[in-house]
């Protein structure tokens, strides 16, 4: 018994480390599918979006022309003004305490981190194959503290109208009540959180 508790603690510690170091493999994402992790802990709610550049600006190579750079900068500023992306129901009385928006270029991160040692050979092949076809993601993280976090009963996603190239959002949601997932698309751009916080 003790051993298995220790093991699961160890696993969650390892997963936190992995998340912190962004070992996520950008090259394996699916265009048309953005990911969003939502975590409610105490009076805090955190949202982290990881969206393929294809869904945001329509390309994933490094912007070099003036018009591409302008597209990327406009997209980043839209993420910074979070009402373009999502709105929490006002009943939660939440205040934004931190927001970070960046572009995650896949190739560099794979080189830096060798967590999946067993798969070294596979990784190298994958890496070579993908070198001509660059991938990147927009990563946006928002943290709030809320006067009444349990009153958040809905999150709307103007994201879908802000970015017409967007596809679906795959959402992983976790709170004290438990974890659940949602698939959201532009025709019904919200999630219902009644009873889930
Ligand atoms: Zn891609």
């Amino acid at each position: 018994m003790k051993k298995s508790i220790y093991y699961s603690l160890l696993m969650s510690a390892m997963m936190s480390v992995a998340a912190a170091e962004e070992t996520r493999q950008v090259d394996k994402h699916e265009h048309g599918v953005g990911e969003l992790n939502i975590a409610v802990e105490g009076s805090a709610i955190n949202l982290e979006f990881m969206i393929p550049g294809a869904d945001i600006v329509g390309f994933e190579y490094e912007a070099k022309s003036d018009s591409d750079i302008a597209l990327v900068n406009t997209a980043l500023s839209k993420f910074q003004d979070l009402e373009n992306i999502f709105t929490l129901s006002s009943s939660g009385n939440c205040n934004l305490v931190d927001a970070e928006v960046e572009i995650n270029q896949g190739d560099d991160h794979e080189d830096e981190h060798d967590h999946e040692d067993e798969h070294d050979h596979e990784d190298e092949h994958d890496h070579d194959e993908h070198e001509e076809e660059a991938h990147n993601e927009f990563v946006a993280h928002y943290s709030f503290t809320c006067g009444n976090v349990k009153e958040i009963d809905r999150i709307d996603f103007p994201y879908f109208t802000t970015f017409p190239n967007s596809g679906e959002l795959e959402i992983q949601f976790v709170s004290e009540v438990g974890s659940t997932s949602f698939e959201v698309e532009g025709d019904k751009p919200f999630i219902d959180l009644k009873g889930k916080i």
Side-chain angles (χ1 to χ4, degrees), residues 180-193:
T180 184
S181 61
F182 301 90
E183 283 185 12
V184 180
E185 293 185 32
D187 58 350
K188 194 170 170 268
F190 64 88
I191 56 174
D192 183 345
L193 293 174

Side-chain angles (χ1 to χ4, degrees), residues 75-111:
L76 288 170
S77 66
K78 283 178 176 168
F79 272 104
Q80 269 148 10
D81 188 2
L82 63 93
E83 300 218 330
N84 291 312
I85 310 300
F86 65 95
T87 54
L88 305 174
S89 50
S90 57
S91 49
N93 193 18
C94 298
N95 291 308
L96 185 70
V97 290
D98 190 30
E100 284 172 47
V101 182
E102 60 179 3
I103 294 183
N104 189 3
Q105 291 287 347
D107 290 342
D108 297 347
H109 285 288
E110 278 190 30
D111 289 344

Side-chain angles (χ1 to χ4, degrees), residues 50-78:
M50 290 152 288
I51 315 283
D55 295 29
I56 302 298
V57 292
F59 60 85
E60 298 189 358
Y61 52 79
E62 188 183 348
K64 291 205 169 108
S65 70
D66 288 349
S67 60
D68 285 348
I69 290 170
L71 278 172
V72 168
N73 286 336
T74 302
L76 288 170
S77 66
K78 283 178 176 168

Side-chain angles (χ1 to χ4, degrees), residues 82-87 155-163 166 189:
L82 63 93
E83 300 218 330
N84 291 312
I85 310 300
F86 65 95
T87 54
I155 302 177
D156 287 273
F157 295 99
Y159 163 78
F160 294 101
T161 44
T162 298
F163 297 116
S166 62

